[in-house]
Amino acid sequence: MTAKLPQVVVFDLDDTLAPSKTRLPDQMAGLLGRLLSRTQVCVISGGQFGQFRTQVVEPLDGIGAAHLDRLHLMPACGTQYYRFINGQWSRVYLEALSADEKTRAKGALEACARRLGLWESHTWGAPIEDRDSQITFSALGQEAPVNAKRSWDPTGEKKLALREAVAAELPDLEVRAGGSTSVDITRVGRDKSFGMEKLMESTGLSKEDLLFYGDRLDVHGNDYPVKAMGVPCLAVRDWQDTVAKLEELLGAEPVA
């Protein structure tokens, strides 16, 4: 117990806290419950708030986790922000895209995906989703099984090719490779570093007070903006690796 817990422990969601689009495993929910009893926790990911409810909030409710007022939820890569206030989840802000931005984003995604041969005939749900502040392309649909998503683009080449093609069509918007099969579009500068700036503004803390866990901290990964802005980061391979590292963190001294 030589180190101290950070003021806020921040996590990516898919493949960091749980397999893509699935609920927190019981072991992870228990660890997050323990962490919330000792410090603040933030989860930031590309999914919409409904996905956060299913993946994070419901498992924590299931174990009777206390101190939910210490939990910060940042859907759509931080372009939305929710807190547990007076017994309910309340939205703090929403960086909504305009109708024109949404239309152009959807059109560019479909046109480029078709041109590159990445528009799949069989999907599990619609391949393009409007998340208000973010338009997301998921090649196999939002409900695709984990194994199918992992095998679709194991090297990440398909996502990067689509990202580059769409970015060339939308120079006024931010286009990023997202999860295992996804590409996300927001306003320029609205990536996870934007969310971290908003988190620090809300809490009055600095970069040194945070610790970020993510599975995509490589230069092309959607967690990389957090690393690039100077927030202390821990790279993880998957949720099981996060469990191991989180167990070690929980042996640290409480925050002052």
Side-chain angles (χ1 to χ4, degrees), residues 36-55:
L36 282 167
S37 72
R38 298 176 61 187
T39 193
Q40 298 183 74
V41 173
C42 175
V43 181
I44 182 169
S45 184
Q48 60 182 333
F49 183 65
Q51 196 70 45
F52 276 59
R53 277 194 180 277
T54 301
Q55 288 187 260

Side-chain angles (χ1 to χ4, degrees), residues 10 42 44-45 74-81 92-96 133-134 174 176 186-202 207 210 212 222-231:
V10 187
C42 175
I44 182 169
S45 184
M74 292 190 153
C77 294
T79 56
Q80 302 174 27
Y81 183 21
V92 179
Y93 68 73
L94 167 67
E95 288 275 320
S133 56
Q134 177 176 290
E174 184 100 17
R176 295 182 303 275
T186 63
R187 288 187 174 145
V188 173
R190 281 10 180 213
D191 55 24
K192 289 184 180 178
S193 66
F194 173 81
M196 292 301 92
E197 293 288 357
K198 289 290 191 179
L199 177 65
M200 289 186 290
E201 179 183 313
S202 173
K207 298 173 188 177
L210 312 181
F212 179 86
N222 61 0
D223 297 327
Y224 181 74
V226 181
K227 180 179 179 180
M229 71 183 290
V231 170

Side-chain angles (χ1 to χ4, degrees), residues 20-21 36 50 55 63 69 73 75 89 129 134 160 223 228:
S20 180
K21 296 294 190 298
L36 282 167
Q55 288 187 260
I63 64 166
D69 58 324
L73 298 180
W89 288 99
E129 184 179 17
Q134 177 176 290
L160 290 177
D223 297 327

Side-chain angles (χ1 to χ4, degrees), residues 69-184:
D69 58 324
R70 296 178 182 173
L71 181 58
H72 308 256
L73 298 180
M74 292 190 153
C77 294
T79 56
Q80 302 174 27
Y81 183 21
Y82 289 79
R83 298 295 309 276
F84 194 67
I85 301 170
N86 296 326
Q88 64 182 4
W89 288 99
S90 301
R91 191 171 68 199
V92 179
Y93 68 73
L94 167 67
E95 288 275 320
L97 292 166
S98 69
D100 174 68
E101 288 168 332
K102 290 180 179 182
T103 298
R104 290 189 294 110
K106 293 174 185 177
L109 282 168
E110 181 170 352
C112 291
R114 288 186 182 278
R115 186 171 74 246
L116 294 171
L118 302 178
W119 189 265
E120 299 292 338
S121 58
H122 173 68
T123 63
W124 289 264
I128 296 178
E129 184 179 17
D130 181 347
R131 298 177 178 173
D132 287 331
S133 56
Q134 177 176 290
I135 302 298
T136 295
F137 171 84
S138 297
L140 301 179
Q142 296 298 316
E143 306 303 322
V146 172
N147 287 341
K149 290 196 287 188
R150 286 176 177 165
S151 62
W152 184 77
D153 187 22
T155 65
E157 293 177 3
K158 293 179 180 179
K159 281 189 308 181
L160 290 177
L162 181 59
R163 191 215 73 80
E164 291 175 6
V166 174
E169 298 290 327
L170 302 171
D172 60 320
L173 295 174
E174 184 100 17
V175 185
R176 295 182 303 275
S180 52
T181 66
S182 64
V183 170
D184 300 323

Side-chain angles (χ1 to χ4, degrees), residues 198-218:
K198 289 290 191 179
L199 177 65
M200 289 186 290
E201 179 183 313
S202 173
T203 58
L205 299 174
S206 64
K207 298 173 188 177
E208 294 73 23
D209 298 316
L210 312 181
L211 176 62
F212 179 86
Y213 287 71
D215 70 310
R216 290 299 313 278
L217 287 162
D218 56 285

Side-chain angles (χ1 to χ4, degrees), residues 6 9-12 16 210-217 223 226-227 231-237 241-242 244-246 248-249:
V9 185
V10 187
F11 299 93
D12 168 53
T16 296
L210 312 181
L211 176 62
F212 179 86
Y213 287 71
D215 70 310
R216 290 299 313 278
L217 287 162
D223 297 327
V226 181
K227 180 179 179 180
V231 170
C233 293
L234 273 177
V236 296
R237 297 184 303 275
D241 191 28
T242 304
K245 290 180 167 64
L246 195 50
E248 184 177 350
L249 181 70

